[in-house]
Amino acid sequence: MNAAQRTALTVRGRRRLTRTVQYGVFAAALIALIALADWGRIADSFLQVDIAADMFPAVWTAFGNTVAYTLLAFVFGMLVGVPLALMRVSGFGPYRWLSTVYVEVFRGLPALLVLFLVGFAVPQAFPGVTWPGGVYGQVAIGLGLTSSAYIAESVRAGIQAVPPGQVEAARSLGMSHTRTMISIVLPQALRIVVPPLTNELVLLTKDSSLVYVLGVTASTMELTRFARSELTDTANATPLLVGGLLYLLLTVPLSALARRLETKGDRR
Amino acid sequence: MSTRLVTIRGLHKRFGDNEVLRGIDLDIDEGEVVCLIGPSGSGKSTLLRCINLLEPPTSGTVGAAGHDMTHPDADLDAARREIGMVFQHFNLFSHLTILDNIAIAQRRVLGRSKAEAHAEARRRLAEVGVEGKERAKPAQLSGGQQQRVAIARALAMGPTLMLFDEPTSALDPELVGEVLAVMRGLAADGMTMLVVTHEMSFAREVADRVVFLDGGVIVEQGPPSQMLTEPTTERAQSFLRRVLHPVD
């Protein structure tokens, strides 16, 4: 290509051409999808209003269980994760090592496998041991163990993001190391990690669908398990759509909240 | 005879291969105001931070406010209650209100009640001339106000010795005066102060003694009238020439 040809298309002109091509491809794909899809069949399998209506009000129990499992696991995750984060930044070596091993193990294992361990392996290996709270306790621990590892890492990052001058000021006033952590560092660190913790809550909401492996009854079923049993009963996919929408009802506002908190955090 | 509040002997501080302090001996008497001057990197701030052991010395001994700071069994937390420190970047607790910034150590360290701590905080705020901002967060204050609150926070612990680490270096020029005024008042009330500063007029006016540090050693010290006008060492002369007449 010589210089004359290159100047034939200005920079702006070239950008406009590229943009037009992108729109064109996008529109063509959309038209093809609309034209080629068998809409009657899709509506038959996904959009049966009476099947959707039949799911109510029973689906609310499942929805409530999803929320409950998520929150229980999150609370357990925080109760374990925050001390782990403090151990991770401790000056005492064995604390650091213990916490590092814990975090690496539970971040490295699939949540499903941990649930199996808590639900089946432990009761089998230690006969007579039962988790408090039945399936709710099993879920809090089974999902919470994995979650605590991620929470610990987030909180550790938050602790390390607190400016060292804050610690120096506290120590110069005579606060002990522990007191400085509790009164000065942790409150600031937790503020910093609210957005990643909100994301963790979104991930947990979805991971709560794994609970079905523990063998749940009608009263302890969460959304995915409930939608699947409806799918089997009705031989129709509409319950999956309803279940999916209910998940989005939880996760989309949470994600939006996390984004807002992130931008708010930047401004501070 | 006045009491000795700071006794430093043979103080060395090394960061890796970099020996920042190379043998410092320094005494400060009760009620004395000492200004530490010197080129950047001369070890002024490190020396200050070695006094309350925010920076543990590599070798040497430090006595401060009646505590043997470098003794292995020293209760540093107890000693630091009596040694106030003011930082270049204020370091106010960003998550707390102005009132709580001043109250928190009183409550958590001295065990004062909330009411007592808040009353003391208000008294100290009046003393440094920051009023009507009790419920504000530090970020809502000007730099000069933040630094005055930081001074109030240190004073509320009832220290016998105050350390100032370049307290006006991070301030806009028009805000320097209000902070220096508070420090001048403190000095007039007889507070023992060690001040790392570049404000030569403040040193001239307020200091009882000016200590010139260069290359990790005390090169020269004396009363400001002598130190700042006719220093005897060549290093101090050249430093002061550069500081006092930067355009020459």
Side-chain angles (χ1 to χ4, degrees), chain A residues 163-177 179 182-185 187-188 191 268, chain B residues 49 52 54 77 80-81 83 85 87 91-96 101 104-105 108-109 137 153-154 157:
Chain A
Q166 298 282 309
V167 175
E168 291 186 350
R171 299 307 302 273
S172 80
L173 289 164
M175 287 192 205
S176 67
H177 175 79
R179 172 49 65 191
I182 293 170
S183 291
I184 305 300
V185 177
Q188 295 188 41
R191 247 162 259 218
R268 201 165 60 93
Chain B
R49 294 159 58 85
N52 64 357
L54 274 189
D77 292 336
R80 286 174 181 149
R81 282 170 221 165
I83 307 172
M85 185 158 192
F87 300 86
N91 297 356
L92 291 181
F93 304 129
S94 55
H95 63 302
L96 297 178
N101 258 279
I104 189 158
R108 303 294 176 213
V109 176
K137 289 288 178 68
R153 176 176 68 179
M157 303 296 285

Side-chain angles (χ1 to χ4, degrees), chain A residues 91-257:
Chain A
F92 185 57
Y95 282 166
R96 279 200 311 277
W97 306 327
L98 194 66
S99 144
T100 305
V101 168
Y102 180 101
V103 167
E104 290 306 329
V105 166
F106 284 104
R107 272 202 317 182
L109 292 177
L112 192 56
L113 188 139
V114 178
L115 261 184
F116 279 132
L117 278 177
V118 169
F120 304 115
V122 172
Q124 198 172 32
F126 304 93
V129 172
T130 51
W131 301 107
V135 72
Y136 291 95
Q138 285 181 24
V139 172
I141 296 165
L143 288 179
L145 282 171
T146 306
S147 191
S148 64
Y150 284 96
I151 289 174
E153 275 301 272
S154 292
V155 173
R156 177 196 55 78
I159 288 172
Q160 288 172 341
V162 174
Q166 298 282 309
V167 175
E168 291 186 350
R171 299 307 302 273
S172 80
L173 289 164
M175 287 192 205
S176 67
H177 175 79
T178 309
R179 172 49 65 191
T180 302
M181 271 292 162
I182 293 170
S183 291
I184 305 300
V185 177
L186 261 191
Q188 295 188 41
L190 289 177
R191 247 162 259 218
I192 294 171
V193 298
V194 164
L197 288 187
T198 314
N199 281 327
E200 176 60 24
L201 209 48
V202 170
L203 294 178
L204 263 179
T205 307
K206 297 186 293 176
D207 281 354
S208 67
S209 66
L210 300 173
V211 167
Y212 80 92
V213 301
L214 296 177
V216 287
T217 63
S219 65
T220 57
M221 242 180 229
E222 44 61 60
L223 264 179
T224 300
R225 180 67 182 79
F226 179 80
R228 204 193 66 172
S229 71
E230 293 285 301
L231 172 80
T232 316
D233 289 352
T234 60
N236 187 276
T238 305
L240 290 185
L241 186 82
V242 173
L245 287 175
L246 286 175
Y247 273 108
L248 294 180
L249 194 66
L250 291 170
T251 54
V252 170
L254 274 176
S255 301
L257 181 69

